[in-house]
Amino acid sequence: MPLPRESRRTVFRQIAQQSYVDWPTYESSPLADRSFLPALESDIHTVAKVWFNQDEHETVEPFVHAVPLAYVQFDTHDRYTGSTSYEMETLFRLFLLKECHGWDHETALAEYLTNHPALCNQLGLESVPSQSTLWRSWHHRFTAELQATVETAARTILIKAQNAGVTIPREPNRQNRRHNDESPESDPSDQTVLEQAEIVTEQVSRVALPAFSLDRGEGCEIHENAYWDLQTYLGLRENLAVNEGARSFIHESNRERTPLGHAHREHVRNLSIEQIREMYRQAVGRLLDRVAETEEFFRAGIVAIDITEDDPFTGDRTDHEDEIIGTKENTDEYAYQWATVQLVGNAVPIVLDARPVRKGDTRKEIVEDLLDSAEALVHVDNVLMDREFDSQHILEMLSQRGLSYVVPKRMQTSEKAQAKRLLQRDKDRYETDRKLHLGDNEWHSTTLIYRRKENSEHTDHQQYSVFMTNRNSGLLTEYGYRWEIESGYKSIKRFMGATTSKHFGLRFFYFAFACLLYSIWRAVDLLVQVQLTGEYEHSPIVTADNTLTLVKKETGIG
């Protein structure tokens, strides 16, 4: 039964009202044209996401015959040169239907069409193609790239329908069939990666960046997006401060009006810490929604919490002693400190939230705050932290939340003595239960795991590390994921604009915006990998510089 025209209008009305979405993609991207298949894949994703959230859209088939394709130029992907009985658009829909059902042979598709004449009418078929016609069209008429687009589009449709609770004909494949081919040509070329990355970056940045806003009132001549463009521009250049950056930005931007450095700085200073954090959480929420159809997102469950330092502060910190605090190491240097919670493990390493660290903030307050944000965005099972968080009160709080943890313990007298005994016995590993005193005759039960380091430079008890966990020792292997947060900090600081300002809010904004650019990069890389290979490996195939350059083009710079 065909869907009412008003139902379809509602879908595209909602798409048009989304400020961060331009549909169709070829109209908004300088790279894409009507024959560019990654743009078609992006458009199907955009429409499917809204389509299946409508109550009256209860099955997949109406989407297959209703999704707009009239603007797509299939000619470059058609290997036939003579006259044919069936248009490429119609065949694309037929093979999309076949892929959604998961039929291995064209015979099943031909029989299905024969038994559903109403569907044939909706698809504009005057006659049902024979099995041989369908086989030749798929194997000899469609290019390999168009076949891959059919498979990708069908997977997107099934995932979006499943996420919306719509009945689907089969479980969506989380892995591209072509990824299993042994042919060395199956790896995407650098040009293919960049072409796909441009489309994805455009979509992702338009989802995330609009979450940031300035309260500037009505009638401003300079568009608000120009401020975020300038901040992105600062992240493109190493050690570029806003005054110098604003002067260069005038010449490199495509915008008629761009903000001056002092105006940009003043508007950012007017943002409170809570405003910055709320905008950041909204942006990350949109970003996570964009990657939500991938298997890697659904495996999200391990987060790492840590604190990083800005560059050492060498100026006068009078009246800023509560903000420019000592470094984590026992040195005489001072620095701003920022705390983050980040996805690690099998999931894409997106920074879920960030907050400043002030003098007097307890580690327990910091962990609770960041976990509140993380659990509002994703499902959390396990928490990894550094030894500076080895407080029994933090561990008890995690257990009360139903979370498991792995935290290294600072060695006290009893741990050093145990490590010496293990060394004498030449044991590499040892586990023991321990009760940690909480006060008022209350205790937290944990497990201490001693593990000898491989190739340690020490010859005494320092060969051993001690970890605490409230689960089995198998979780200890997960602690290795924590390195991702440290490597992430290096990239984040690469994305920060330079400043000598002591304004705490401005400093934090620079860090938070850099966290967002980093998260955009990792989200883009995940989506491109899944699109091109059907899998996600943590080693990026899209570089950070590539992503920043593409964000730069998206924001109208250069």
Side-chain angles (χ1 to χ4, degrees), residues 209-396:
L209 292 179
F212 280 78
S213 62
L214 298 171
D215 185 13
R216 297 188 302 148
E218 301 293 333
C220 297
E221 294 184 9
I222 299 177
H223 196 284
E224 184 174 286
N225 288 349
Y227 289 85
W228 313 132
D229 296 351
L230 175 56
Q231 190 65 39
T232 303
Y233 182 71
L234 299 180
L236 295 168
R237 309 291 181 85
E238 193 169 355
N239 296 320
L240 182 63
V242 68
N243 283 342
E244 179 186 353
R247 288 193 290 270
S248 300
F249 186 56
I250 292 174
H251 303 291
E252 294 204 38
S253 173
N254 293 330
R255 294 185 177 277
E256 294 182 1
R257 296 290 304 275
T258 60
L260 298 176
H262 70 87
H264 176 85
R265 191 166 49 243
E266 189 62 30
H267 283 304
V268 172
R269 282 176 172 173
N270 288 334
L271 296 172
S272 68
I273 298 293
E274 271 312 308
Q275 283 178 310
I276 296 170
R277 292 190 65 194
E278 179 58 30
M279 290 189 296
Y280 184 87
R281 287 189 289 260
Q282 288 183 18
V284 169
R286 292 181 173 196
L287 202 59
L288 290 172
D289 183 61
R290 180 64 179 86
V291 300
E293 76 271 14
T294 65
E295 182 182 8
E296 284 67 26
F297 176 81
F298 290 112
R299 288 208 304 260
I302 308 175
V303 299
I305 294 175
D306 207 347
I307 294 175
T308 188
E309 299 160 0
D310 217 322
D311 292 335
F313 186 84
T314 58
D316 180 10
R317 66 186 190 105
T318 302
D319 298 329
H320 297 274
E321 292 88 349
D322 291 345
E323 300 164 352
I324 310 173
I325 57 181
T327 59
K328 294 194 294 181
E329 301 298 330
N330 188 19
T331 69
D332 57 359
E333 293 183 329
Y334 295 95
Y336 291 91
Q337 292 188 11
W338 322 114
T340 64
V341 58
Q342 177 179 312
L343 288 173
V344 293
N346 291 324
V348 55
I350 287 175
V351 179
L352 300 174
D353 195 13
R355 58 160 288 163
V357 179
R358 295 182 176 89
K359 184 178 180 180
D361 290 344
T362 69
R363 294 297 187 256
K364 184 171 181 286
E365 291 171 345
I366 292 170
V367 173
E368 284 184 304
D369 183 19
L370 293 175
L371 278 179
D372 286 342
S373 296
E375 291 191 297
L377 291 168
V378 298
H379 174 74
V380 177
D381 288 320
N382 308 328
V383 182
L384 310 178
M385 296 180 292
D386 203 356
R387 57 176 43 86
E388 66 182 300
F389 297 98
D390 72 349
S391 158
Q392 61 267 40
H393 296 282
I394 294 177
L395 304 184
E396 177 66 14

Side-chain angles (χ1 to χ4, degrees), residues 20-22 24-32 39 42 196-209 290 520 524 547 550-551 553-555:
Y20 51 88
V21 171
D22 278 330
T25 300
Y26 80 87
E27 291 185 345
S28 60
S29 172
L31 175 69
S42 177
Q196 185 68 35
E198 176 148 12
I199 296 297
V200 174
T201 301
E202 184 175 43
Q203 294 290 323
V204 167
S205 61
R206 293 193 180 204
V207 166
L209 292 179
R290 180 64 179 86
I520 287 174
V524 166
T547 303
L550 294 173
V551 173
K553 290 179 67 176
E554 161 60 20
T555 52

Side-chain angles (χ1 to χ4, degrees), residues 166-212:
V166 172
T167 301
I168 56 176
R170 67 172 177 89
E171 285 293 313
N173 293 329
R174 296 294 182 177
Q175 189 169 350
N176 196 320
R177 296 178 181 181
R178 297 181 177 277
H179 185 70
N180 293 325
D181 293 347
E182 297 298 327
S183 170
E185 287 80 24
S186 61
D187 291 335
S189 66
D190 291 342
Q191 183 61 33
T192 300
V193 169
L194 285 175
E195 288 176 351
Q196 185 68 35
E198 176 148 12
I199 296 297
V200 174
T201 301
E202 184 175 43
Q203 294 290 323
V204 167
S205 61
R206 293 193 180 204
V207 166
L209 292 179
F212 280 78

Side-chain angles (χ1 to χ4, degrees), residues 476-503:
L476 199 58
T477 58
E478 293 183 350
Y479 192 75
Y481 293 138
R482 236 202 101 264
W483 71 269
E484 294 174 6
I485 202 167
E486 296 294 346
S487 62
Y489 282 148
K490 293 179 181 178
S491 296
I492 288 167
K493 291 174 181 178
R494 158 69 179 82
F495 295 163
M496 289 179 65
T499 182
T500 58
S501 172
K502 288 185 281 190
H503 190 280

Side-chain angles (χ1 to χ4, degrees), residues 115-140:
N115 295 329
H116 293 81
L119 176 61
C120 292
N121 289 335
Q122 293 163 13
L123 292 169
L125 286 173
E126 296 181 0
S127 62
V128 175
S130 65
Q131 179 273 336
S132 59
T133 298
L134 291 170
W135 188 91
R136 286 194 303 272
S137 297
W138 178 257
H139 291 280
H140 296 299

